[in-house]
Amino acid sequence: MCGIVGAVAQRNITPILLQGLKRLEYRGYDSCGVALHVDGALTRSRSTSRVADLESQVEKAGLSGFTGIAHTRWATHGAPASHNAHPHFSRERIALVHNGIIENHDELRAELSAAGYVFESQTDTEVIAHLVDSMYTGDLFETVQQAVKRLHGAYAIAVFCRDEPHRVVGARQGSPLIVGVGKGENFLASDAMALAGTTDQIIYLEEGDVVDLQLQRYWIVDGSGRPAEREVRTVHAHTGAAELGPYRHYMQKEIFEQPRAIADTLEGVTAVMPELFGDKAYNIFKKIDSVLILACGTSFYAGVTAKYWIEAIAKIPVNVEIASEYRYRESVPNPNALVVTISQSGETADTLAALKHARSQDMLNTLTICNVATSAMVRECKLAYITHAGVEVGVASTKAFTTQLTALFLLALSLAQVRGRLSEEEEAAHLKAMRHLPAAVTAVLALEPQIIAWAEEFSRKENALFLGRGMHYPIALEGALKLKEISYIHAEAYPAGELKHGPLALVTQEMPVVTVAPNDALIEKLKSNMQEVRARGGQLYVFADADSRISSSEGVHVIRLPEHYGMLSPILHVVPLQMLAYHTALARGTDVDKPRNLAKSVTVE
Ligand code: G6P
């Protein structure tokens, strides 16, 4: 989703801005642009293609400058067209980039049009550029502080002015923005990774902050205009520009990295203990009476799986809510609940807002399972477990999901332990199974050739059903999500027992029905559900545990996983579904790592 880079320096900053944009590409975007202060004027270049294309435009035009801003845009208001791409200018005086959504843009647009401003785009961003220009006092920092008071919604902005050549001003509310502190130069960006190699001295701006960047100084004020001290942290950001190696796509690479990612997530875990989640975890885990999980997308399905684990192992009631629903719902707050947010990026706007909503209702026992240690989510929660999946580039989440599940299983065990519900033998057995997970996942990855054969057939379909039961129902949901995200095949997942209450009407010979079939307590029930499908001519594609005694027959295609892996089985069963989606998408020729309309990090509502 939208990415911002800004710089004020005494050297040509064009390569820094473009490199920053490249590092933000993984977030997903559909256009990009850069604006520089050149010879007392604003100059810009924009592209509806990739950052590499923008780079060649900039090179051709010989653009260079000491002050500037750059942006990758993920369209919300207005199509992904060049005139909607940022930076937006106002009266050739103000240049501005924005991440977020301004909710009162219509009202401001009407007001600014009446004042004579001519709009060139359909964006809400251009409104801010004109607003800043209309309020300009000769001091950009002061002006931006006043202008943002008129904005409703979410924003991170970077702005500079033709008349103040060595200054860039930034502000944030609801969207991420960081300051990179250099020597005689300063920077802004959406995340620290964008500035890797330029500076590792990072300030995470807080909600409402406005920052003034000049060559030798930076100055931050909070939402009420008071000077704000913000910690400068040394951040060793990964560049994310990991080599693809033998893989065709990041998604494939990330699927195959799962054994390592799970091992890294478990590194140093020699015993189950609440302290794995933070110093205060024991006291918090001791007093909570329920768990509320908040997340979006794939992370939400990790949360649904965790519900099965926590209730079964720790006997604590769990609610799992989609963050964008919870944040606006009139729910019944329970101050004794443990609020768990799950997020790969730690920057998802809805999940952050849901967390804020929970806190505003006195639900202060907060824990996050997150892949980015420096993210807003980690900073805003009392407790955290950092998954060590490494940078995930593919928009469709894979290794982040299985590492989230790994951390959530540890959470279930820790909660059980604090309640005296985990014997030493059980702890030892679970830890042994967890340690063996990387090897078990490796064995599942070896099924790739068989999955490729299925993917050929799937690539010719337009619909698919996924079935699972119990803790494998969320795995079916995740499998369907993967398939629709990257292959654009319509896919839906159902708890297999629910089939007869509706989706059975869709089953014909044309409908592939993917079945997640672990050899657990529900296997006989599942077999009956499979019969219901066969009786209607549906084609079953079954991922069965080796010991589940399901064999191939007419209309029943079976790929065998290793023997049943007990409670941790969901972590194994999701892997073939990821590979099925990947190879189906590959066969259909879609842009696997950057599927249409989707973004990696959804920092707007
Ligand atoms: C986007 C991504 C998904 C991800 C979801 C939640 O939709 O494309 O892969 O699951 O956001 O993101 P988070 O970073 O909060 O886990």
Side-chain angles (χ1 to χ4, degrees):
M1 197 147 273
C2 303
I4 290 176
V5 195
V8 48
Q10 300 171 72
R11 55 177 167 151
N12 176 22
I13 50 150
T14 321
I16 295 172
L17 296 180
L18 291 168
Q19 186 60 251
L21 289 190
K22 281 190 186 157
R23 298 218 176 107
L24 294 172
E25 275 190 304
Y26 77 96
R27 299 162 79 98
Y29 68 105
D30 37 45
S31 59
C32 49
V34 57
L36 294 157
H37 196 281
V38 183
D39 299 332
L42 306 182
T43 315
R44 78 180 151 190
S45 182
R46 297 183 285 183
S47 166
T48 50
S49 180
R50 312 310 291 171
V51 175
D53 174 71
L54 178 70
E55 193 172 27
S56 36
Q57 280 185 40
V58 166
E59 263 169 33
K60 244 187 240 153
L63 272 188
S64 76
F66 294 180
T67 302
I69 54 179
H71 191 260
T72 48
R73 173 176 188 253
W74 186 81
T76 56
H77 295 63
S82 175
H83 67 282
N84 285 327
H86 305 203
H88 286 283
F89 285 178
S90 180
R91 294 203 168 140
E92 299 299 320
R93 182 164 70 165
I94 298 293
L96 183 140
V97 292
H98 164 225
N99 172 13
I101 291 176
I102 302 304
E103 287 164 4
N104 58 336
H105 68 99
D106 273 341
E107 172 196 325
L108 291 171
R109 183 181 277 258
E111 184 183 314
L112 290 158
S113 300
Y117 283 94
V118 178
F119 283 81
E120 291 172 355
S121 77
Q122 285 82 48
T123 64
D124 49 344
T125 304
E126 194 183 0
V127 169
I128 320 176
H130 292 320
L131 181 69
V132 170
D133 186 79
S134 71
M135 297 173 75
Y136 188 59
T137 58
D139 181 327
L140 187 64
F141 183 50
E142 192 185 283
T143 307
V144 171
Q145 285 178 66
Q146 297 310 317
V148 293
K149 288 187 186 153
R150 304 259 351 251
L151 305 178
H152 301 165
Y155 57 80
I157 57 171
V159 47
F160 72 97
C161 174
R162 181 194 62 202
D163 304 338
E164 299 177 71
H166 303 296
R167 189 177 222 185
V168 171
V169 174
R172 74 155 288 201
Q173 177 73 50
S175 298
L177 193 65
I178 59 118
V179 174
V181 182
K183 292 198 173 80
E185 54 187 22
N186 287 301
F187 307 90
L188 276 179
S190 294
D191 66 39
M193 195 161 81
L195 300 178
T198 300
T199 178
D200 60 2
Q201 298 300 293
I202 302 295
I203 297 168
Y204 291 90
L205 293 177
E206 292 184 10
E207 293 290 63
D209 282 356
V210 184
V211 60
D212 182 12
L213 297 186
Q214 299 187 26
L215 291 171
Q216 305 294 349
R217 70 186 280 270
Y218 63 85
W219 183 250
I220 302 170
V221 294
D222 66 16
S224 37
R226 280 188 294 265
E229 285 281 326
R230 302 283 178 242
E231 189 191 342
V232 182
R233 306 180 193 206
T234 304
V235 176
H236 302 293
H238 297 285
T239 61
E243 292 296 318
L244 269 175
Y247 302 103
R248 286 182 71 174
H249 293 95
Y250 282 103
M251 182 179 176
Q252 188 189 28
K253 174 174 183 276
E254 287 157 6
I255 289 172
F256 277 83
E257 277 174 352
Q258 290 180 109
R260 196 236 359 104
I262 292 169
D264 288 355
T265 297
L266 288 173
E267 202 182 297
V269 178
T270 51
V272 172
M273 49 185 168
E275 287 70 24
L276 294 169
F277 298 84
D279 296 345
K280 302 190 198 100
Y282 179 82
N283 289 338
I284 292 179
F285 288 5
K286 191 89 196 159
K287 67 181 178 198
I288 55 119
D289 63 9
S290 60
V291 176
L292 170 65
I293 299 180
L294 304 169
C296 304
T298 289
S299 298
F300 172 73
Y301 296 145
V304 182
T305 315
K307 175 183 168 78
Y308 286 89
W309 284 337
I310 297 171
E311 293 199 345
I313 303 171
K315 311 283 179 219
I316 303 174
V318 181
N319 275 328
V320 195
E321 298 229 17
I322 290 179
S324 56
E325 284 294 312
Y326 174 76
R327 64 183 286 194
Y328 292 118
R329 202 165 75 72
E330 276 191 39
S331 50
V332 182
N334 173 9
N336 296 321
L338 175 67
V339 179
V340 180
T341 58
I342 308 173
S343 177
Q344 187 285 125
S345 62
E347 301 289 352
T348 302
D350 281 322
T351 312
L352 281 170
L355 171 66
K356 216 181 199 174
H357 181 64
R359 280 202 317 226
S360 74
Q361 303 198 85
D362 265 350
M363 298 172 74
L364 304 176
N365 304 311
T366 54
L367 160 70
T368 188
I369 308 287
C370 188
N371 196 35
V372 182
T374 52
S375 62
M377 207 77 77
V378 176
R379 281 179 278 129
E380 289 181 22
C381 284
K382 280 191 186 154
L383 306 174
Y385 194 98
I386 307 299
T387 52
H388 289 281
V391 176
E392 192 179 64
V393 178
V395 165
S397 187
T398 52
K399 61 177 181 172
F401 181 68
T402 43
T403 53
Q404 285 167 349
L405 290 179
T406 305
L408 287 162
F409 193 75
L410 266 183
L411 176 64
L413 297 182
S414 303
L415 288 170
Q417 191 189 54
V418 171
R419 281 171 164 63
R421 290 208 166 94
L422 188 74
S423 69
E424 280 180 23
E425 295 72 48
E426 285 166 332
E427 177 187 352
H430 284 308
L431 279 176
K432 192 172 164 208
M434 292 187 88
R435 265 185 231 116
H436 184 66
L437 263 176
V441 172
T442 305
V444 177
L445 289 168
L447 300 173
E448 193 181 34
Q450 295 174 58
I451 292 169
I452 292 174
W454 281 13
E456 264 311 310
E457 294 173 36
F458 274 71
S459 68
R460 293 188 287 275
K461 304 284 181 191
E462 287 311 320
N463 298 286
L465 271 178
F466 284 66
L467 302 180
R469 290 194 78 131
M471 63 180 74
H472 293 82
Y473 165 52
I475 297 308
L477 285 166
E478 173 61 6
L481 176 67
K482 289 288 85 93
L483 191 69
K484 69 186 130 194
E485 274 182 311
I486 59 168
S487 75
Y488 314 145
I489 292 173
H490 170 234
E492 279 191 73
Y494 270 86
E498 189 66 8
L499 193 62
K500 53 193 169 296
H501 297 294
L504 205 51
L506 298 171
V507 172
T508 65
Q509 267 203 327
E510 287 311 302
M511 178 68 88
V513 181
V514 179
T515 311
V516 183
N519 188 24
D520 60 11
L522 295 168
I523 188 71
E524 295 308 326
K525 305 272 174 215
L526 185 76
K527 285 180 185 168
S528 308
N529 303 138
M530 287 163 54
Q531 288 309 321
E532 291 163 11
V533 173
R534 273 310 295 142
R536 275 89 192 165
Q539 297 289 306
L540 284 162
Y541 292 83
V542 190
F543 290 104
D545 285 350
D547 45 359
S548 68
R549 294 192 308 280
I550 297 177
S551 25
S552 303
S553 56
E554 203 198 329
V556 184
H557 315 265
V558 179
I559 289 182
R560 250 173 234 300
L561 274 76
E563 292 204 346
H564 184 51
Y565 209 71
M567 286 276 213
L568 288 164
S569 166
I571 299 182
L572 299 194
H573 268 276
V574 76
V575 175
L577 303 185
Q578 297 167 341
M579 290 195 284
L580 179 64
Y582 171 73
H583 285 289
T584 305
L586 201 64
R588 285 166 74 99
T590 60
D591 189 351
V592 174
D593 284 333
K594 297 190 182 80
R596 72 182 177 210
N597 307 338
L598 300 181
K600 180 75 191 155
S601 186
V602 183
T603 52
V604 296
E605 223 189 307

